[in-house]
Amino acid sequence: MSQELNVTEAVHESPYRPRGWARWRFLTLTCAVFVALSGLRVITGQDMLTDAGTINTTLAFAVPIGLAGLGGLWAERSGIINIGLEGMMILGTWFGAYFAWSFDNPWIGLVAGVLGGMLGGLLHAVATVTFAVDHIVSGVAINILALGAMRYMSILLYSDVPGAGAAQSPTTPSFPTLNLPWLPDLLEPVADSGIFLVGDLASLVIGLTTRMSALTLIALLMIPVTYLVLWKTTFGLRLRSVGENPDAAESLGVPVYSFKYIAVVISGGLAGMGGVFLAIVASNIYQEGQTGGRGYIGLAAMIFGNWRPGGLAMGAGLFGYTDALQVRGGGEAIHALLLLLAVALLAVAIWQVRSDRKGLAIAGALAGVLLLAWYFTTDSLPRELATYSPHIATLLVLSLASQSLRPPAGIGKQWRASRS
């Protein structure tokens, strides 16, 4: 006598998410963060947390990181890891500053810087796509090559130029700045009132509409443009399919090699634009070491954003905001963020308890209590620690967000066209 037992496993389907759910989640999270910062300003009395100067400085620090992150997004959506973003930014700083100074025109410098970054992207594409060089090896090689080559070019071209040399260029012309002349005067009394959320919103609008470089506006527009191209066009669908499953894309007639080349060259151009921003907008001069690792931080912002433009923008804004605070407010302004971070960790701990993850809940609660104790027993952060707060914040957020990340399936894999 035999008995047959059929066991059917339950299929766990992902919950239904309405159209535009990710967009609303992004907007909700952004608003929640702003409300939290507004409340923190009222509680701690640190007006610098949301004033117009901080908003303006945040943009200055976030834009080059965001552009580097967008460059990484284009490359990695096609399956190519672009560690060479740092070197492509270096090419953008040098070429942008040199041609802006030579022609006394920042727009020519912008074109030159973007083309310089695209040259770095082309080298990376040739190495990784055509010759199947390891993506990490190729990217690191480009970083080293760009640094040495630009120093050589500086020695060659700036040796007889007053005020310039092997490590810097002459002063470059500036991009025009954009202002709404009537708006700051109208909103200034509201911002100075200190009313919860109302005054902070006024400061936000003032910071975003005064003394904004034309290049900053162009850089901000690159975020929705990238989203529209990659997610709302046939070209973008094909490019992302190359990064997910190049074999399937090839079987449908998609020229995989061409799309990888296009994506990596555009990646280099965006990184080069970030370099132009550093050389012409942020400092009006090219200096050796000017990028300061922003290419790598841009990659971190891209990973934090889960390979999406909106999340990337939040990651770049986080780094730019903490950097702006430590530059403008020093240890006292960063110290106020300890309270917000402690509350956030305690909230995460409660959420983990509800999800039956007791280990993570205990770790989060312990970290939150320690931060609360640190906040209430000190008045300021040491200067050395405040200086590295942007890097610490980036690492912390990456570690918290790492569990829900989904990179493109074909990223970093060497691919060869099938032979018929």
Side-chain angles (χ1 to χ4, degrees):
M1 181 176 179
S2 63
Q3 183 177 9
E4 183 178 347
L5 178 65
N6 294 324
V7 179
T8 304
E9 294 184 359
V11 178
H12 298 282
E13 297 182 355
S14 58
Y16 170 73
R17 292 173 178 176
R19 186 178 182 87
W21 176 83
R23 189 181 306 114
W24 281 109
R25 184 181 65 168
F26 169 74
L27 292 174
T28 302
L29 182 58
T30 302
C31 292
V33 170
F34 187 77
V35 171
L37 288 174
S38 178
L40 187 65
R41 175 191 63 81
V42 174
I43 294 171
T44 63
Q46 288 288 336
D47 293 337
M48 198 169 292
L49 289 170
T50 58
D51 70 6
T54 298
I55 301 300
N56 203 273
T57 308
T58 296
L59 277 178
F61 284 119
V63 163
I65 295 170
L67 286 171
L70 282 176
L73 174 67
W74 274 85
E76 298 204 2
R77 278 293 177 178
S78 71
I80 304 297
I81 299 173
N82 194 356
I83 295 293
L85 288 169
E86 182 78 6
M88 297 168 197
M89 289 188 78
I90 293 173
L91 293 173
T93 58
W94 195 91
F95 281 101
Y98 177 75
F99 281 91
W101 166 71
S102 298
F103 290 91
D104 195 28
N105 190 322
W107 297 104
I108 294 179
L110 173 61
V111 173
V114 170
L115 290 176
M118 292 175 74
L119 175 62
L122 180 62
L123 290 175
H124 190 49
V126 170
T128 57
V129 179
T130 301
F131 294 104
V133 175
D134 182 88
H135 299 185
I136 305 298
V137 172
S138 173
V140 171
I142 288 175
N143 292 340
I144 297 172
L145 177 65
L147 184 62
M150 294 307 96
R151 184 171 182 83
Y152 172 77
M153 294 295 291
S154 295
I155 295 173
L156 187 66
L157 297 175
Y158 292 145
S159 57
D160 298 326
V161 178
Q168 69 177 41
S169 72
T171 303
T172 63
S174 301
F175 286 100
T177 56
L178 308 175
N179 293 281
L180 291 178
W182 53 271
L183 197 58
D185 296 335
L186 181 65
L187 294 179
E188 192 71 36
V190 180
D192 293 339
S193 67
I195 301 174
F196 170 69
L197 201 58
V198 175
D200 304 291
L201 283 172
S203 296
L204 176 65
V205 174
I206 293 172
L208 293 176
T209 56
T210 56
R211 301 189 306 277
M212 177 183 286
S213 168
L215 184 54
T216 301
L217 180 60
I218 294 173
L220 293 176
L221 290 175
M222 289 296 103
I223 298 172
V225 167
T226 293
Y227 171 74
L228 291 173
V229 172
L230 291 183
W231 273 269
K232 298 297 181 181
T233 66
T234 303
F235 169 83
L237 176 62
R238 291 174 177 173
L239 188 145
R240 288 186 291 118
S241 72
V242 166
E244 293 289 344
N245 192 331
D247 292 320
E250 183 193 33
S251 69
L252 295 174
V254 177
V256 175
Y257 286 151
S258 298
F259 273 86
K260 286 181 179 289
Y261 261 89
I262 291 171
V264 180
V265 169
I266 291 176
S267 171
L270 288 167
M273 185 183 295
V276 173
F277 184 93
L278 290 172
I280 299 181
V281 178
S283 60
N284 285 115
I285 191 173
Y286 160 78
Q287 291 180 315
E288 193 173 72
Q290 194 168 30
T291 54
R294 287 176 174 84
Y296 301 110
I297 299 170
L299 278 177
M302 177 203 66
I303 294 170
F304 164 76
N306 205 12
W307 288 265
R308 304 277 297 193
L312 182 157
M314 290 186 65
L318 170 67
F319 188 94
Y321 179 73
T322 51
D323 213 359
L325 277 186
Q326 67 92 10
V327 168
R328 299 190 72 242
E332 292 184 359
I334 298 295
H335 179 263
L337 291 181
L338 291 177
L339 179 59
L340 180 61
L341 184 58
V343 174
L345 285 172
L346 292 174
V348 169
I350 296 172
W351 179 262
Q352 297 299 339
V353 168
R354 294 183 58 187
S355 302
D356 200 23
R357 297 174 180 173
K358 295 180 181 179
L360 292 175
I362 294 173
L366 180 61
V369 170
L370 290 175
L371 285 177
L372 281 176
W374 189 4
Y375 174 78
F376 286 112
T377 56
T378 57
D379 296 324
S380 179
L381 260 65
R383 180 179 178 183
E384 296 79 10
L385 187 59
T387 301
Y388 287 99
S389 59
H391 304 80
I392 296 171
T394 302
L395 291 174
L396 180 61
V397 170
L398 279 177
S399 64
L400 292 175
S402 60
Q403 296 179 352
S404 59
L405 298 179
R406 186 205 171 275
I411 190 171
K413 297 179 181 178
Q414 305 295 350
W415 182 83
R416 282 289 170 263
S418 59
R419 302 289 181 180
S420 55

